[in-house]
Amino acid sequence: MSKVVGIDLGTTNSLVAYVKDGVPLVIRDRAGDGLVPSVVSVAADGTVYVGREAQRRLMTDAGRTVYSVKRFMGKGLADVRDDARLFPFAIGGDPSGIVRIGLGEREFTAPEISAFVLRELKRRAEEFFAAEGEFDSEVDRAVITVPAYFNDAQRTATRDAGRIAGLEVLRIINEPTAASLAYGLDKRHTGIIAVYDLGGGTFDISILRVEDGVFQVLATNGDTHLGGDDIDLLLMEQALAEPGSSRTAEDIQQIRQAVIQAKWDLSERDETARLSSAHWARAVRRSPTPSSIPPRSTKWSWSADPPGFRSSVVWSPSCSARRRTAS
């Protein structure tokens, strides 16, 4: 019988998992890596690269490589103009229609790009099940998680991506609910749960009530431009303002990689040795001055639930950042 998998189709990275004896397990590659970068590159000869190899091609063929496509799912051209200013790939389409992404001479919709990532996850899962000795290792059904704030158009675009990839999407589950299920809170907890999700594209919070194994979303809110990508963008803009910085697509990607590395370094220490590219270098501190990163304001609102439930907090970590695991 064909297999059902769960997929986290992320802004920065994606992964595929399955349930064994009631426990969700991430399917890893031979090197033990569970993450597939949500990056797709189309070479001049038409070869399509996905994941790590596509990520490497950002340094050599940036104009044919796309990342963070989740931000374009279910959106029109007018919705993404501000997001598109430092992307190396072409973004176009009818002003009143869907976004089209140009990679060389070819154009793709956001669901078509996402389908390449889903196919790679499908292939990884099928190889894993075959290696486990499963008689029928085909994967043709999936449950896919999406942000709780995704609207109908974005959810439909996610289903379309699954269909293009050869997957029947059995269900779309909100990421906060999926995080709570992964932690087993449906089995051992009754009460109100706050799930914080700092991802590649957003920072949001959802308030869930769980009772008798059933989750109810009471409220959700957040900032759709306060994710890892947005922090990268702020630091990139500072770097590009430095004298001598270059704006070729490949040089911008070098700066972006340096920015990401600096973020990871600052998770462990107060200051990086340097944030550098081929043309400049500078130190970056964990605690920036108020003028170095523009302030952002976010409105949060939800209705308070009546007392009588225990509250707990679940951290729903994005696969877009290195993180320390609390014991």
Side-chain angles (χ1 to χ4, degrees):
M1 184 177 178
S2 59
K3 301 293 185 292
V4 180
V5 295
I7 292 175
D8 178 358
L9 186 60
T11 303
T12 310
N13 294 290
S14 297
L15 58 79
V16 59
Y18 73 111
V19 175
K20 182 178 182 180
D21 299 328
V23 179
L25 299 173
V26 174
I27 297 175
R28 303 178 181 276
D29 64 13
R30 293 172 183 171
D33 191 355
L35 301 182
V36 174
S38 303
V39 185
V40 175
S41 184
V42 180
D45 64 0
T47 303
V48 177
Y49 299 93
V50 180
R52 298 288 175 199
E53 181 58 32
Q55 195 173 50
R56 285 189 283 269
R57 287 176 58 83
L58 278 167
M59 299 296 103
T60 59
D61 203 357
R64 290 180 174 270
T65 307
V66 56
Y67 58 91
S68 297
V69 74
K70 186 174 179 178
R71 295 197 124 169
F72 304 130
M73 295 287 278
K75 292 187 177 181
L77 186 59
D79 300 324
V80 300
R81 289 192 189 280
D82 289 341
D83 293 331
R85 61 187 183 277
L86 284 180
F87 283 122
F89 46 89
I91 299 171
D94 189 324
S96 60
I98 60 174
V99 174
R100 293 194 172 273
I101 296 165
L103 301 179
E105 297 75 33
R106 300 174 64 182
E107 281 193 342
F108 302 89
T109 63
E112 287 171 336
I113 294 293
S114 293
F116 287 122
V117 179
L118 291 174
R119 285 194 195 102
E120 176 63 20
L121 295 170
K122 180 177 185 293
R123 182 198 62 78
R124 173 179 288 196
E126 289 175 340
E127 287 186 355
F128 169 81
F129 290 128
E132 290 287 296
E134 296 284 352
F135 175 74
D136 186 356
S137 60
E138 181 186 7
V139 172
D140 60 2
R141 293 169 293 163
V143 174
I144 301 178
T145 62
V146 297
Y149 63 82
F150 255 29
N151 60 29
D152 287 344
Q154 291 168 305
R155 292 168 190 267
T156 298
T158 303
R159 285 188 179 275
D160 289 344
R163 175 181 52 78
I164 296 167
L167 292 168
E168 178 188 355
V169 180
L170 298 177
R171 192 171 177 188
I172 298 287
I173 294 183
N174 289 341
E175 289 168 358
T177 303
S180 299
L181 288 169
Y183 278 90
L185 297 184
D186 57 321
K187 296 182 177 65
R188 65 171 186 256
H189 190 81
T190 297
I192 296 176
I193 305 165
V195 182
Y196 291 87
D197 188 347
L198 176 58
T202 64
F203 180 44
D204 53 46
I205 180 174
S206 292
I207 306 298
L208 311 178
R209 179 192 296 177
V210 58
E211 190 171 12
D212 297 327
V214 177
F215 287 97
Q216 177 189 3
V217 179
L218 301 179
T220 187
N221 210 330
D223 192 324
T224 58
H225 287 82
L226 193 55
D229 277 2
D230 302 287
I231 297 170
D232 296 345
L233 185 59
L234 290 171
L235 291 171
M236 286 167 65
E237 288 175 337
Q238 291 183 47
L240 289 167
E242 295 278 345
S245 62
S246 171
R247 282 186 173 264
T248 68
E250 283 72 22
D251 286 342
I252 289 175
Q253 289 308 306
Q254 284 188 0
I255 292 171
R256 177 172 172 267
Q257 289 304 310
V259 161
I260 292 170
Q261 185 62 52
K263 282 195 313 183
W264 291 346
D265 292 345
L266 291 173
S267 296
E268 305 295 334
R269 50 183 182 268
D270 291 332
E271 181 174 337
T272 62
R274 63 178 192 168
L275 173 62
S276 63
S277 75
H279 306 288
W280 56 271
R282 63 177 292 183
V284 180
R285 296 189 59 81
R286 181 187 294 181
S287 301
T289 61
S291 61
S292 64
I293 294 183
R296 296 190 59 89
S297 62
T298 304
K299 295 181 179 178
W300 302 85
S301 63
W302 55 78
S303 300
D305 202 65
F309 289 89
R310 291 180 298 154
S311 294
S312 67
V313 174
V314 173
W315 175 248
S316 172
S318 162
C319 24
S320 65
R322 287 183 182 170
R323 56 188 181 275
R324 285 175 253 176
T325 303
S327 58

